[in-house]
Amino acid sequence: MVDEKIRLRGSDKGLRADSIGLISTMALGLASAAPAYSLTVTLGLVVLLVGVHAPAALLVGFVPILCTAFAFRELNREMPDCGTNFVWITRAFGPWPGWLIGNWVTQVTTIIAMTALARVGAGSLLGLLGVTAPGTPLITVTGIAILGLVTLVAYRGVGLSAAVQIGMLVIQFAAIAIFGFAALRSGGGATPSAAWFNPFELAGTGHFTEAVLLCLFIYWGWDAALCVNEEARDRTRTPGLAAVLSTIVLLVTYLFTAVAVLSFTGADGLGSADEAADILASLAPALLDSPLTELVQLAVCLSAIGALLTCVVSLARPNLSVAAHGAAPKIFGRIHPRFRTPSFATLFIGATAALLLTALTLASPAFLGDAILSIALLISFYYGGVAFACVWYFRGRLRNSALDLLTKGVLPAAGGLMMLFAFLRSAYDMLDTSYGSLSLGGVGGVFLLGIGSILLGALVTGVVRVFFPAFFRDGKHAITDLIITEN
């Protein structure tokens, strides 16, 4: 009875219900993963590590993602609240883990990622406009302008955001397809083989773990589809289905591109690590004529900008939910009377990302780079938290049927364990002073930033508890009145 009451009350926060369908919801999830950008900065590095077994690494990295996606799907069916991680972890483990893992870590991870996306989007845009070797100040100012633009789009409604994303995704996937087919047609590198997809072949390369960890996080972002659950048609089914389908689309896209690149370059044809870290830009001129080369560059630019837009959309709604549940200031619960979007929360996310980009840039380019590298640690932390929350929340229903045992228990537990391993392995690697650019007291700066973000979150959660004692006392079993304040 309590669960049903929470589900019904938590489903009406003033957002525009039934405004987007499956395709639009998938577009938000796919755009957040930034497929063109993710490919260009990750695939080449995977090839350098494991050669022709890159497709196998992509397959192995996909397994924990798919398992975790089932956890998101099942929890959304039970509690279709736009607070997603925050609500689900709170219901499973209590207010402290809910606020720390489901709210703080999730939001810090995404806002740090937004600084990288803003820089990439700005640099790509300036390159397309013919600005050669733009300086850091110009890139930062342009990045802030892009953040302002995507915040405005997000402010004006999820329907507009989804429509813009669909347009940008069409360009991205068209560019990836053109690039991939051109690489396959050119050949000259290696002949595609079933052995490329064999994980047991991959395990003998000596770089198994590093490659899989890279591939694990190339998929990150698909869960953004769940944050618009209260605005989706059939909110208990559509967002979860969109999340699972998004991961599959990403897998197919990445495997296709990996095979195409290997068939063109072979295992040893990428050259330097710098070229591998920007693989689409490095290979496009050799494969395509000038107009199509620019299309690939445009796709990377739009990929970063599209991911930024989805980040603003997907972070504003959890902020609304946290306020609605009485765990944040009421101002975050404001809904625009016309656009039916979280007005203050949307502007807050855009402004916070702009301020963080400015602060990290002023601090040091190395500091910004290490902050971005720490994202891998934080992603596995909160993905694992959601996966284990699913198992714990549904523990009493796992004997209902074999399907329940599989989708609510076995798969999420497997995803959680694999995310735990990824977290521990990432933390171990990041301890090394050579991981990243900075270090302190013989400890890698990336490790300090990643673990430090979590520890700071624990401190912030303690402070928040003082101001919102009702939530921390009763949040697991009750929801305070929803707060909807129109501008």
Side-chain angles (χ1 to χ4, degrees), residues 95-156:
W96 270 87
W99 212 97
L100 172 61
I101 304 173
N103 185 43
W104 173 267
V105 174
T106 301
Q107 300 219 26
V108 166
T109 304
T110 308
I111 289 176
I112 293 175
M114 290 174 70
T115 63
L117 293 167
R119 285 179 60 85
V120 170
S124 300
L125 179 61
L126 291 170
L128 286 168
L129 294 175
V131 180
T132 58
T136 299
L138 180 58
I139 289 177
T140 303
V141 170
T142 306
I144 292 173
I146 292 173
L147 279 167
L149 177 62
V150 298
T151 300
L152 176 62
V153 174
Y155 187 86
R156 292 182 64 85

Short mmCIF file of all heavy atoms in Angstrom, two decimals, residues 95-156:
data_model
loop_
_atom_site.label_atom_id
_atom_site.label_comp_id
_atom_site.label_asym_id
_atom_site.label_seq_id
_atom_site.Cartn_x
_atom_site.Cartn_y
_atom_site.Cartn_z
N PRO A 95 17.69 6.72 3.00
CA PRO A 95 17.97 8.09 2.55
C PRO A 95 19.45 8.41 2.36
O PRO A 95 19.81 9.11 1.41
CB PRO A 95 17.37 8.96 3.66
CG PRO A 95 16.33 8.10 4.29
CD PRO A 95 16.86 6.71 4.23
N TRP A 96 20.31 7.93 3.26
CA TRP A 96 21.73 8.26 3.13
C TRP A 96 22.32 7.75 1.82
O TRP A 96 22.87 8.54 1.03
CB TRP A 96 22.52 7.71 4.32
CG TRP A 96 22.61 8.68 5.47
CD1 TRP A 96 21.71 8.84 6.47
CD2 TRP A 96 23.66 9.64 5.70
NE1 TRP A 96 22.13 9.84 7.33
CE2 TRP A 96 23.32 10.34 6.88
CE3 TRP A 96 24.83 9.97 5.05
CZ2 TRP A 96 24.11 11.34 7.43
CZ3 TRP A 96 25.64 10.97 5.57
CH2 TRP A 96 25.29 11.64 6.74
N PRO A 97 22.23 6.44 1.51
CA PRO A 97 22.75 5.98 0.22
C PRO A 97 22.01 6.61 -0.96
O PRO A 97 22.61 6.89 -2.00
CB PRO A 97 22.52 4.46 0.26
CG PRO A 97 22.40 4.13 1.71
CD PRO A 97 21.76 5.32 2.34
N GLY A 98 20.70 6.84 -0.79
CA GLY A 98 19.93 7.44 -1.87
C GLY A 98 20.44 8.81 -2.23
O GLY A 98 20.62 9.14 -3.42
N TRP A 99 20.69 9.64 -1.21
CA TRP A 99 21.14 11.00 -1.49
C TRP A 99 22.58 11.01 -1.98
O TRP A 99 22.93 11.74 -2.91
CB TRP A 99 21.01 11.88 -0.24
CG TRP A 99 20.70 13.32 -0.56
CD1 TRP A 99 19.47 13.92 -0.55
CD2 TRP A 99 21.63 14.33 -0.96
NE1 TRP A 99 19.58 15.24 -0.92
CE2 TRP A 99 20.90 15.52 -1.18
CE3 TRP A 99 23.00 14.35 -1.16
CZ2 TRP A 99 21.49 16.70 -1.58
CZ3 TRP A 99 23.61 15.54 -1.57
CH2 TRP A 99 22.86 16.70 -1.77
N LEU A 100 23.43 10.18 -1.36
CA LEU A 100 24.85 10.18 -1.73
C LEU A 100 25.09 9.55 -3.10
O LEU A 100 25.67 10.18 -3.98
CB LEU A 100 25.65 9.42 -0.67
CG LEU A 100 27.13 9.15 -1.00
CD1 LEU A 100 27.89 10.45 -1.20
CD2 LEU A 100 27.78 8.31 0.09
N ILE A 101 24.63 8.31 -3.29
CA ILE A 101 24.92 7.59 -4.53
C ILE A 101 23.96 7.98 -5.65
O ILE A 101 24.36 8.27 -6.77
CB ILE A 101 24.86 6.06 -4.30
CG1 ILE A 101 25.81 5.65 -3.18
CG2 ILE A 101 25.19 5.31 -5.59
CD1 ILE A 101 25.67 4.19 -2.77
N GLY A 102 22.67 7.99 -5.31
CA GLY A 102 21.67 8.24 -6.34
C GLY A 102 21.56 9.68 -6.77
O GLY A 102 21.15 9.96 -7.91
N ASN A 103 21.95 10.61 -5.90
CA ASN A 103 21.83 12.02 -6.23
C ASN A 103 23.21 12.66 -6.44
O ASN A 103 23.55 13.07 -7.53
CB ASN A 103 21.06 12.76 -5.13
CG ASN A 103 20.81 14.21 -5.48
OD1 ASN A 103 20.46 14.54 -6.61
ND2 ASN A 103 21.01 15.10 -4.51
N TRP A 104 24.01 12.71 -5.39
CA TRP A 104 25.29 13.42 -5.45
C TRP A 104 26.23 12.84 -6.51
O TRP A 104 26.68 13.55 -7.40
CB TRP A 104 25.96 13.41 -4.09
CG TRP A 104 27.35 13.98 -4.10
CD1 TRP A 104 28.52 13.30 -4.25
CD2 TRP A 104 27.71 15.37 -3.99
NE1 TRP A 104 29.58 14.15 -4.23
CE2 TRP A 104 29.12 15.43 -4.07
CE3 TRP A 104 26.99 16.55 -3.82
CZ2 TRP A 104 29.82 16.63 -4.00
CZ3 TRP A 104 27.69 17.75 -3.74
CH2 TRP A 104 29.08 17.79 -3.82
N VAL A 105 26.54 11.55 -6.39
CA VAL A 105 27.53 10.94 -7.31
C VAL A 105 27.03 11.00 -8.75
O VAL A 105 27.80 11.31 -9.67
CB VAL A 105 27.85 9.50 -6.89
CG1 VAL A 105 28.76 8.83 -7.92
CG2 VAL A 105 28.52 9.48 -5.52
N THR A 106 25.75 10.72 -8.95
CA THR A 106 25.20 10.76 -10.30
C THR A 106 25.34 12.15 -10.92
O THR A 106 25.77 12.31 -12.06
CB THR A 106 23.71 10.35 -10.29
OG1 THR A 106 23.59 9.03 -9.74
CG2 THR A 106 23.13 10.37 -11.68
N GLN A 107 25.01 13.17 -10.14
CA GLN A 107 25.04 14.53 -10.68
C GLN A 107 26.47 15.04 -10.86
O GLN A 107 26.78 15.69 -11.86
CB GLN A 107 24.23 15.46 -9.78
CG GLN A 107 22.78 15.04 -9.68
CD GLN A 107 21.82 16.22 -9.67
OE1 GLN A 107 22.11 17.29 -10.18
NE2 GLN A 107 20.66 16.02 -9.10
N VAL A 108 27.34 14.76 -9.90
CA VAL A 108 28.73 15.20 -10.03
C VAL A 108 29.38 14.56 -11.25
O VAL A 108 30.09 15.22 -12.02
CB VAL A 108 29.52 14.87 -8.75
CG1 VAL A 108 31.02 15.00 -8.99
CG2 VAL A 108 29.10 15.79 -7.61
N THR A 109 29.13 13.27 -11.45
CA THR A 109 29.68 12.56 -12.60
C THR A 109 29.27 13.24 -13.90
O THR A 109 30.10 13.50 -14.79
CB THR A 109 29.20 11.10 -12.62
OG1 THR A 109 29.55 10.47 -11.40
CG2 THR A 109 29.81 10.33 -13.78
N THR A 110 27.99 13.53 -14.02
CA THR A 110 27.48 14.09 -15.27
C THR A 110 27.96 15.52 -15.49
O THR A 110 28.29 15.91 -16.63
CB THR A 110 25.94 14.03 -15.28
OG1 THR A 110 25.52 12.70 -14.98
CG2 THR A 110 25.39 14.43 -16.64
N ILE A 111 28.03 16.31 -14.44
CA ILE A 111 28.47 17.70 -14.60
C ILE A 111 29.95 17.75 -14.98
O ILE A 111 30.35 18.58 -15.81
CB ILE A 111 28.18 18.50 -13.32
CG1 ILE A 111 26.66 18.71 -13.18
CG2 ILE A 111 28.88 19.84 -13.34
CD1 ILE A 111 26.24 19.40 -11.91
N ILE A 112 30.77 16.86 -14.40
CA ILE A 112 32.17 16.80 -14.82
C ILE A 112 32.26 16.42 -16.29
O ILE A 112 33.03 16.99 -17.07
CB ILE A 112 32.96 15.81 -13.95
CG1 ILE A 112 33.08 16.32 -12.52
CG2 ILE A 112 34.36 15.58 -14.53
CD1 ILE A 112 33.74 15.34 -11.57
N ALA A 113 31.46 15.43 -16.69
CA ALA A 113 31.45 15.02 -18.11
C ALA A 113 31.04 16.18 -19.01
O ALA A 113 31.55 16.31 -20.14
CB ALA A 113 30.51 13.84 -18.30
N MET A 114 30.14 17.03 -18.53
CA MET A 114 29.69 18.16 -19.33
C MET A 114 30.83 19.13 -19.63
O MET A 114 30.85 19.76 -20.69
CB MET A 114 28.55 18.89 -18.62
CG MET A 114 27.24 18.10 -18.60
SD MET A 114 25.94 18.90 -17.62
CE MET A 114 25.56 20.33 -18.66
N THR A 115 31.80 19.24 -18.73
CA THR A 115 32.94 20.12 -19.01
C THR A 115 33.75 19.60 -20.19
O THR A 115 34.20 20.37 -21.04
CB THR A 115 33.85 20.25 -17.77
OG1 THR A 115 34.42 18.98 -17.44
CG2 THR A 115 33.06 20.77 -16.58
N ALA A 116 33.93 18.27 -20.24
CA ALA A 116 34.65 17.68 -21.37
C ALA A 116 33.86 17.85 -22.66
O ALA A 116 34.42 18.20 -23.71
CB ALA A 116 34.91 16.20 -21.10
N LEU A 117 32.56 17.59 -22.60
CA LEU A 117 31.73 17.71 -23.79
C LEU A 117 31.69 19.14 -24.31
O LEU A 117 31.70 19.37 -25.53
CB LEU A 117 30.31 17.22 -23.48
CG LEU A 117 30.17 15.73 -23.19
CD1 LEU A 117 28.80 15.43 -22.58
CD2 LEU A 117 30.37 14.91 -24.47
N ALA A 118 31.64 20.11 -23.40
CA ALA A 118 31.62 21.52 -23.81
C ALA A 118 32.92 21.88 -24.53
O ALA A 118 32.91 22.60 -25.55
CB ALA A 118 31.40 22.42 -22.60
N ARG A 119 34.04 21.39 -24.01
CA ARG A 119 35.32 21.69 -24.66
C ARG A 119 35.42 21.02 -26.03
O ARG A 119 35.87 21.63 -27.00
CB ARG A 119 36.47 21.21 -23.77
CG ARG A 119 36.72 22.09 -22.56
CD ARG A 119 37.85 21.54 -21.72
NE ARG A 119 39.09 21.45 -22.48
CZ ARG A 119 39.95 22.45 -22.64
NH1 ARG A 119 39.69 23.64 -22.09
NH2 ARG A 119 41.06 22.29 -23.33
N VAL A 120 34.98 19.77 -26.11
CA VAL A 120 35.04 19.06 -27.39
C VAL A 120 34.10 19.73 -28.41
O VAL A 120 34.48 19.96 -29.56
CB VAL A 120 34.66 17.59 -27.21
CG1 VAL A 120 34.48 16.90 -28.56
CG2 VAL A 120 35.73 16.87 -26.40
N GLY A 121 32.88 20.02 -27.97
CA GLY A 121 31.94 20.68 -28.86
C GLY A 121 32.45 22.02 -29.35
O GLY A 121 32.33 22.36 -30.54
N ALA A 122 33.06 22.78 -28.43
CA ALA A 122 33.59 24.10 -28.80
C ALA A 122 34.76 23.97 -29.76
O ALA A 122 34.83 24.68 -30.78
CB ALA A 122 34.01 24.85 -27.54
N GLY A 123 35.69 23.06 -29.45
CA GLY A 123 36.84 22.89 -30.33
C GLY A 123 36.45 22.42 -31.72
O GLY A 123 36.98 22.91 -32.73
N SER A 124 35.50 21.48 -31.78
CA SER A 124 35.04 20.98 -33.08
C SER A 124 34.32 22.07 -33.87
O SER A 124 34.51 22.20 -35.09
CB SER A 124 34.10 19.78 -32.87
OG SER A 124 34.75 18.74 -32.20
N LEU A 125 33.50 22.84 -33.18
CA LEU A 125 32.77 23.91 -33.86
C LEU A 125 33.72 24.96 -34.42
O LEU A 125 33.58 25.41 -35.57
CB LEU A 125 31.77 24.55 -32.89
CG LEU A 125 30.94 25.71 -33.44
CD1 LEU A 125 30.09 25.25 -34.62
CD2 LEU A 125 30.06 26.30 -32.34
N LEU A 126 34.70 25.35 -33.63
CA LEU A 126 35.67 26.34 -34.09
C LEU A 126 36.47 25.81 -35.27
O LEU A 126 36.78 26.55 -36.21
CB LEU A 126 36.60 26.74 -32.94
CG LEU A 126 35.94 27.53 -31.80
CD1 LEU A 126 36.88 27.67 -30.61
CD2 LEU A 126 35.52 28.92 -32.30
N GLY A 127 36.80 24.50 -35.22
CA GLY A 127 37.51 23.90 -36.35
C GLY A 127 36.69 23.93 -37.62
O GLY A 127 37.20 24.22 -38.71
N LEU A 128 35.39 23.63 -37.51
CA LEU A 128 34.51 23.67 -38.68
C LEU A 128 34.37 25.08 -39.23
O LEU A 128 34.16 25.28 -40.43
CB LEU A 128 33.13 23.13 -38.30
CG LEU A 128 33.03 21.62 -38.11
CD1 LEU A 128 31.71 21.24 -37.46
CD2 LEU A 128 33.18 20.90 -39.46
N LEU A 129 34.49 26.07 -38.34
CA LEU A 129 34.38 27.47 -38.77
C LEU A 129 35.70 28.02 -39.31
O LEU A 129 35.79 29.19 -39.68
CB LEU A 129 33.90 28.33 -37.60
CG LEU A 129 32.48 28.05 -37.10
CD1 LEU A 129 32.16 28.89 -35.87
CD2 LEU A 129 31.47 28.31 -38.20
N GLY A 130 36.73 27.16 -39.31
CA GLY A 130 38.01 27.57 -39.88
C GLY A 130 38.97 28.22 -38.91
O GLY A 130 40.00 28.77 -39.32
N VAL A 131 38.67 28.16 -37.63
CA VAL A 131 39.58 28.72 -36.62
C VAL A 131 40.65 27.69 -36.32
O VAL A 131 40.37 26.62 -35.77
CB VAL A 131 38.83 29.09 -35.34
CG1 VAL A 131 39.79 29.67 -34.30
CG2 VAL A 131 37.70 30.06 -35.63
N THR A 132 41.89 27.98 -36.70
CA THR A 132 42.98 27.04 -36.48
C THR A 132 43.65 27.28 -35.14
O THR A 132 43.87 28.43 -34.74
CB THR A 132 44.03 27.17 -37.60
OG1 THR A 132 44.51 28.51 -37.63
CG2 THR A 132 43.43 26.81 -38.93
N ALA A 133 43.96 26.21 -34.44
CA ALA A 133 44.64 26.26 -33.14
C ALA A 133 44.01 27.27 -32.19
O ALA A 133 44.67 28.21 -31.72
CB ALA A 133 46.12 26.58 -33.34
N PRO A 134 42.71 27.15 -31.90
CA PRO A 134 42.08 28.11 -30.97
C PRO A 134 42.67 27.98 -29.57
O PRO A 134 42.96 26.88 -29.10
CB PRO A 134 40.61 27.69 -30.99
CG PRO A 134 40.64 26.24 -31.38
CD PRO A 134 41.79 26.10 -32.32
N GLY A 135 42.85 29.09 -28.91
CA GLY A 135 43.42 29.08 -27.56
C GLY A 135 42.40 28.64 -26.53
O GLY A 135 41.19 28.59 -26.79
N THR A 136 42.89 28.35 -25.34
CA THR A 136 42.02 27.90 -24.25
C THR A 136 40.92 28.90 -23.91
O THR A 136 39.76 28.50 -23.72
CB THR A 136 42.86 27.58 -23.00
OG1 THR A 136 43.78 26.53 -23.31
CG2 THR A 136 41.97 27.15 -21.83
N PRO A 137 41.22 30.21 -23.84
CA PRO A 137 40.14 31.17 -23.53
C PRO A 137 39.01 31.14 -24.55
O PRO A 137 37.82 31.17 -24.18
CB PRO A 137 40.86 32.53 -23.54
CG PRO A 137 42.28 32.20 -23.23
CD PRO A 137 42.54 30.88 -23.89
N LEU A 138 39.35 31.05 -25.84
CA LEU A 138 38.32 31.03 -26.88
C LEU A 138 37.49 29.76 -26.79
O LEU A 138 36.26 29.79 -26.93
CB LEU A 138 38.95 31.16 -28.25
CG LEU A 138 37.99 31.15 -29.44
CD1 LEU A 138 36.98 32.28 -29.32
CD2 LEU A 138 38.77 31.25 -30.76
N ILE A 139 38.16 28.62 -26.55
CA ILE A 139 37.43 27.35 -26.42
C ILE A 139 36.50 27.41 -25.22
O ILE A 139 35.35 26.96 -25.28
CB ILE A 139 38.42 26.18 -26.29
CG1 ILE A 139 39.14 25.94 -27.62
CG2 ILE A 139 37.70 24.91 -25.86
CD1 ILE A 139 40.18 24.86 -27.57
N THR A 140 36.97 27.98 -24.11
CA THR A 140 36.15 28.06 -22.90
C THR A 140 34.94 28.95 -23.11
O THR A 140 33.81 28.58 -22.75
CB THR A 140 36.99 28.58 -21.72
OG1 THR A 140 38.13 27.72 -21.53
CG2 THR A 140 36.16 28.62 -20.44
N VAL A 141 35.15 30.11 -23.71
CA VAL A 141 34.03 31.02 -23.96
C VAL A 141 33.02 30.38 -24.92
O VAL A 141 31.80 30.47 -24.71
CB VAL A 141 34.55 32.36 -24.54
CG1 VAL A 141 33.39 33.22 -25.04
CG2 VAL A 141 35.36 33.11 -23.49
N THR A 142 33.51 29.72 -25.96
CA THR A 142 32.62 29.05 -26.90
C THR A 142 31.86 27.92 -26.22
O THR A 142 30.67 27.71 -26.46
CB THR A 142 33.41 28.51 -28.10
OG1 THR A 142 34.18 29.55 -28.69
CG2 THR A 142 32.47 27.92 -29.15
N GLY A 143 32.56 27.18 -25.36
CA GLY A 143 31.92 26.10 -24.61
C GLY A 143 30.80 26.62 -23.72
O GLY A 143 29.73 26.01 -23.62
N ILE A 144 31.03 27.75 -23.09
CA ILE A 144 30.00 28.36 -22.23
C ILE A 144 28.81 28.80 -23.08
O ILE A 144 27.64 28.65 -22.68
CB ILE A 144 30.59 29.54 -21.44
CG1 ILE A 144 31.60 29.02 -20.41
CG2 ILE A 144 29.49 30.34 -20.75
CD1 ILE A 144 32.37 30.11 -19.70
N ALA A 145 29.09 29.34 -24.27
CA ALA A 145 28.00 29.74 -25.16
C ALA A 145 27.17 28.54 -25.59
O ALA A 145 25.93 28.60 -25.65
CB ALA A 145 28.58 30.45 -26.38
N ILE A 146 27.83 27.42 -25.88
CA ILE A 146 27.10 26.20 -26.24
C ILE A 146 26.26 25.72 -25.08
O ILE A 146 25.10 25.30 -25.25
CB ILE A 146 28.09 25.11 -26.70
CG1 ILE A 146 28.75 25.51 -28.01
CG2 ILE A 146 27.39 23.76 -26.85
CD1 ILE A 146 29.87 24.58 -28.45
N LEU A 147 26.82 25.77 -23.87
CA LEU A 147 26.05 25.39 -22.68
C LEU A 147 24.81 26.27 -22.53
O LEU A 147 23.73 25.78 -22.18
CB LEU A 147 26.93 25.52 -21.43
CG LEU A 147 27.87 24.35 -21.15
CD1 LEU A 147 28.90 24.75 -20.07
CD2 LEU A 147 27.09 23.13 -20.69
N GLY A 148 24.96 27.55 -22.81
CA GLY A 148 23.81 28.44 -22.74
C GLY A 148 22.74 28.08 -23.75
O GLY A 148 21.54 28.09 -23.45
N LEU A 149 23.17 27.71 -24.95
CA LEU A 149 22.22 27.34 -26.01
C LEU A 149 21.46 26.07 -25.65
O LEU A 149 20.23 26.02 -25.78
CB LEU A 149 22.96 27.17 -27.33
CG LEU A 149 22.12 26.71 -28.52
CD1 LEU A 149 21.04 27.75 -28.84
CD2 LEU A 149 23.01 26.46 -29.74
N VAL A 150 22.16 25.03 -25.23
CA VAL A 150 21.48 23.77 -24.93
C VAL A 150 20.59 23.91 -23.69
O VAL A 150 19.53 23.27 -23.60
CB VAL A 150 22.48 22.61 -24.74
CG1 VAL A 150 23.26 22.37 -26.02
CG2 VAL A 150 23.42 22.83 -23.57
N THR A 151 20.99 24.78 -22.76
CA THR A 151 20.14 25.02 -21.59
C THR A 151 18.84 25.68 -22.01
O THR A 151 17.76 25.34 -21.49
CB THR A 151 20.88 25.90 -20.57
OG1 THR A 151 22.09 25.23 -20.15
CG2 THR A 151 20.01 26.16 -19.34
N LEU A 152 18.91 26.60 -22.96
CA LEU A 152 17.70 27.26 -23.46
C LEU A 152 16.77 26.25 -24.13
O LEU A 152 15.56 26.28 -23.92
CB LEU A 152 18.09 28.36 -24.45
CG LEU A 152 16.93 29.09 -25.15
CD1 LEU A 152 16.06 29.81 -24.12
CD2 LEU A 152 17.47 30.08 -26.18
N VAL A 153 17.33 25.35 -24.95
CA VAL A 153 16.51 24.34 -25.60
C VAL A 153 15.86 23.43 -24.56
O VAL A 153 14.66 23.13 -24.64
CB VAL A 153 17.37 23.50 -26.58
CG1 VAL A 153 16.55 22.35 -27.15
CG2 VAL A 153 17.88 24.39 -27.73
N ALA A 154 16.65 22.99 -23.57
CA ALA A 154 16.10 22.12 -22.52
C ALA A 154 15.02 22.84 -21.72
O ALA A 154 14.02 22.22 -21.31
CB ALA A 154 17.23 21.67 -21.59
N TYR A 155 15.18 24.12 -21.51
CA TYR A 155 14.22 24.93 -20.75
C TYR A 155 12.86 24.98 -21.44
O TYR A 155 11.83 25.03 -20.80
CB TYR A 155 14.80 26.34 -20.60
CG TYR A 155 14.02 27.27 -19.71
CD1 TYR A 155 14.22 27.29 -18.33
CD2 TYR A 155 13.08 28.16 -20.25
CE1 TYR A 155 13.53 28.17 -17.51
CE2 TYR A 155 12.38 29.04 -19.43
CZ TYR A 155 12.61 29.04 -18.07
OH TYR A 155 11.91 29.90 -17.26
N ARG A 156 12.87 24.93 -22.78
CA ARG A 156 11.64 25.11 -23.54
C ARG A 156 10.86 23.82 -23.77
O ARG A 156 9.85 23.83 -24.46
CB ARG A 156 11.96 25.78 -24.88
CG ARG A 156 12.43 27.22 -24.72
CD ARG A 156 12.69 27.86 -26.07
NE ARG A 156 11.49 27.97 -26.87
CZ ARG A 156 10.62 28.96 -26.79
NH1 ARG A 156 10.82 29.95 -25.92
NH2 ARG A 156 9.55 28.99 -27.56
#
